[in-house]
Amino acid sequence: MAAMAALRALRWRLPRTPGPGPARRLSTAEFPSPEEKPQFPGASADFADRLEFIQPNVISGIPVYRVMDRQGHIVNPAEDPQLPKELVLKFYKTMTLLNTMDRILYESQRQGRISFYMTNYGEEGTHVGSAAALDDTDLVFGQYRETGVLMYRGYPLDLFMAQCYGNTSDTGKGRQMPVHYGCRERHFVTISSPLATQIPQAVGAAYTIKRADANRAVICYFGEGAASEGDAHAGFNFAATLECPIIFFCRNNGYAISTPTSEQYRGDGIAARGPGYGLMSIRVDGNDVFAVYNATKEARRRAVAENQPFLIEAMTYRIGHHSTSDDSSAYRSVDEVNYWDKQDHPISRLRHYMLNRGWWDEEEEKGWRKSSRKMVMEAFEQAERKPKPNVQLLFSDVSEMPPHLRRQQEALEQHLQHYGEHYPLEHFEK
């Protein structure tokens, strides 16, 4: 009886017919009875008359999309992006140049020349494949291991070095710790150390782009560890409900510093979370640069055309230590690392593809390795010779300096007047 009374009351609710007049009554055919289908506003589902909890392993696992096998052979010709030789060579040279720069800067930190560094070993394919699929004006929010995206967009070696050294050529004026790059001209938002803060920020930027009808997209990179932060939940949910043109790009590299994925989550990775938020989702082989390219290109196209968010989970492996502050031998075996380095490396896979096509040979490999190392070393030596920014730049670029900062500036000046001989001020710009 109560159900029928509620149904009679609901028949007088909106929608109304156009123009003045009483509300249009809903017929029984338009509003099926509660016995036939649930009418709860919070979900779309059928009734069940059997008590049963949903198991976390209800499916065998979201498949991993790939285009190339580990020997560089195209698995399904229909999925071959048919990229021209010049573009594939750019992929390869960007990935190997990044690898060379990583090795030199890692060693420079170990020698005490810079304070900190993070390598990108093993994840180069996720950077280059995704960067190539974007438009140059698409906005990038990185976490801290997306150097290849900025390199692909043409950020010069001398500015990478200047940032890590914090010298006078550093566009950040030495205020950031190493690897915290940013470039307004290349639409790459400056890296911020706190984990996952970029996710809701990226959604806000995407919503702004949508409101402006700017025909652009936002891509937001993060690791599977960052996906455990509350900011990820907020970002996913806002992006879906506000229908924002954003690509969430998760680099699932197996470890969040020392925490393996087996201790990070119990579900089927990160892509499995997407449907629960209303995100179009896919899992790709992050060591296959073509798979990453295809997935990102299609996600970007649809995100802009349909104003909806996409989630890409790129499965890869972090071959290097988390950073120069980490010793990964304490929580994983050398054999494990060697497997990924020797058997399933994104650079090796793309090299196999190029060799199979006759686009590359051993002589070209030797020549490129030599010339790329020379380029990196020249930028490295130039950066090392330049002085640090003037100490007063600590207090610049503030529209109106508040009193407490002014007091700090005066205190620093007095301190250096009395104890300046104890500091290497000769290495700073006057």
Side-chain angles (χ1 to χ4, degrees), residues 91-104:
F91 283 14
Y92 186 73
K93 289 187 174 182
T94 303
M95 292 163 70
T96 49
L97 183 62
L98 173 61
N99 189 270
T100 300
M101 186 179 78
D102 275 348
R103 294 182 187 281
I104 290 172

Side-chain angles (χ1 to χ4, degrees), residues 35-99:
E35 287 77 18
E36 294 178 9
K37 190 174 179 63
Q39 300 301 319
F40 306 115
S44 176
D46 293 322
F47 281 117
D49 55 12
R50 179 182 174 187
L51 177 63
E52 185 177 8
F53 290 95
I54 298 174
Q55 299 295 323
N57 56 347
V58 66
I59 59 175
S60 60
I62 295 175
V64 180
Y65 169 71
R66 70 171 181 171
V67 174
M68 285 189 293
D69 62 21
R70 292 168 183 167
Q71 288 71 47
H73 298 117
I74 300 297
V75 178
N76 179 1
E79 296 296 320
D80 186 347
Q82 300 289 342
L83 300 177
K85 177 182 177 180
E86 294 74 21
L87 186 57
V88 174
L89 285 174
K90 182 179 179 181
F91 283 14
Y92 186 73
K93 289 187 174 182
T94 303
M95 292 163 70
T96 49
L97 183 62
L98 173 61
N99 189 270

